[in-house]
Amino acid sequence: KAGVTQTPRYLIKTRGQQVTLSCSPISGHRSVSWYQQTPGQGLQFLFEYFSETQRNKGNFPGRFSGRQFSNSRSEMNVSTLELGDSALYLCASSDLKANTEAFFGQGTRLTVV
Amino acid sequence: AQSVTQLGSHVSVSEGALVLLRCNYSSSVPPYLFWYVQYPNQGLQLLLKYTTGATLVKGINGFEAEFKKSETSFHLTKPSAHMSDAAEYFCAVSEGGTASKLTFGTGTRLQVTL
């Protein structure tokens, strides 16, 4: 089985712009979660989608949003980018029937200048 | 709310020495516990997990961890370090019986010296 695929791997954006990141989960996995990783704040949960519905949300401003499509692929969007949004964004997929493991992609490195 | 504390942001061991990375958790319900490893510019790879059952859990690459409820700990060990073990290690906890929302510790960077 192919793993979790995140695109693009690297991205450079200017303050004020918006960005969309993509995540394709492992085939058959219906839960997709997003995390932000920064040196200062570490790994923080953004949100989780299951069957096209947001099930859980972390403590991030409304500029951070996401969605999930019928094929379980997910996108996250950040609007009005700030310098502090520079981070590694990680996506994880889970098979909730098996319940017990999250598989991570390699991440998208976003740099805001 | 759940939380994870990893003692020691940097740990250095000699090749062949014991590796011990500490993790304590806080959870209001029986937790699921995980250890992940991250190499530079990579995602997270699961080393091992505890859900229910046997409290001593064996993972990949010779790592193991023991769930101690009385101490709210889940320390990661490996009897003999290898140079390839140099990486960052994260302990994580989830509640609610799934792995879809994880709370991570701040990570421990393991250095292995000759």
Side-chain angles (χ1 to χ4, degrees):
Chain A
K1 273 185 177 179
V4 179
T5 303
Q6 292 189 244
T7 56
R9 286 292 311 277
Y10 300 93
L11 208 47
I12 300 175
K13 289 287 188 179
T14 304
R15 266 185 307 175
Q17 287 186 314
Q18 74 165 17
V19 68
T20 299
L21 312 181
S22 179
C23 172
S24 293
I26 291 171
S27 178
H29 287 192
R30 294 166 63 193
S31 170
V32 174
S33 302
W34 289 89
Y35 295 84
Q36 182 196 64
Q37 185 177 23
T38 61
Q41 300 298 317
L43 278 154
Q44 293 186 286
F45 173 79
L46 279 157
F47 30 65
E48 180 219 353
Y49 285 86
F50 177 76
S51 293
E52 303 179 64
T53 301
Q54 188 180 85
R55 288 205 319 166
N56 288 294
K57 188 176 189 309
N59 190 23
F60 278 82
R63 300 186 297 107
F64 292 81
S65 63
R67 60 177 175 169
Q68 187 179 35
F69 302 94
S70 59
N71 62 357
S72 294
R73 189 178 71 85
S74 177
E75 290 181 346
M76 69 162 279
N77 184 276
V78 188
S79 62
T80 319
L81 283 165
E82 301 177 358
L83 295 179
D85 297 332
S86 295
L88 181 67
Y89 289 89
L90 293 165
C91 164
S93 76
S94 303
D95 176 357
L96 293 186
K97 289 180 183 177
N99 252 349
T100 59
E101 189 169 341
F103 295 85
F104 283 81
Q106 291 195 309
T108 294
R109 172 76 62 184
L110 172 65
T111 302
V112 182
V113 298
Chain B
Q2 60 215 37
S3 65
V4 175
T5 301
Q6 289 184 242
L7 292 174
S9 58
H10 289 84
V11 170
S12 182
V13 300
S14 301
E15 190 173 36
L18 171 72
V19 175
L20 171 60
L21 304 182
R22 299 179 187 274
C23 172
N24 288 87
Y25 70 91
S26 171
S27 177
S28 57
V29 299
Y32 283 9
L33 294 160
F34 307 83
W35 275 99
Y36 283 88
V37 62
Q38 186 178 37
Y39 297 97
N41 293 317
Q42 297 294 317
L44 301 175
Q45 180 184 11
L46 182 69
L47 284 174
L48 48 79
K49 61 188 179 188
Y50 169 79
T51 54
T52 58
T55 56
L56 182 61
V57 180
K58 294 187 184 299
I60 63 171
N61 302 339
F63 286 95
E64 62 181 40
E66 187 171 9
F67 170 63
K68 291 187 176 181
K69 184 178 178 180
S70 61
E71 298 176 9
T72 60
S73 69
F74 191 58
H75 302 329
L76 181 71
T77 61
K78 181 174 180 178
S80 177
H82 192 273
M83 296 296 287
S84 61
D85 294 328
E88 188 145 25
Y89 293 78
F90 293 92
C91 182
V93 64
S94 77
E95 294 180 349
T98 77
S100 57
K101 181 183 177 185
L102 299 172
T103 298
F104 286 90
T106 50
T108 297
R109 184 165 299 279
L110 176 66
Q111 180 182 19
V112 183
T113 60
L114 287 170

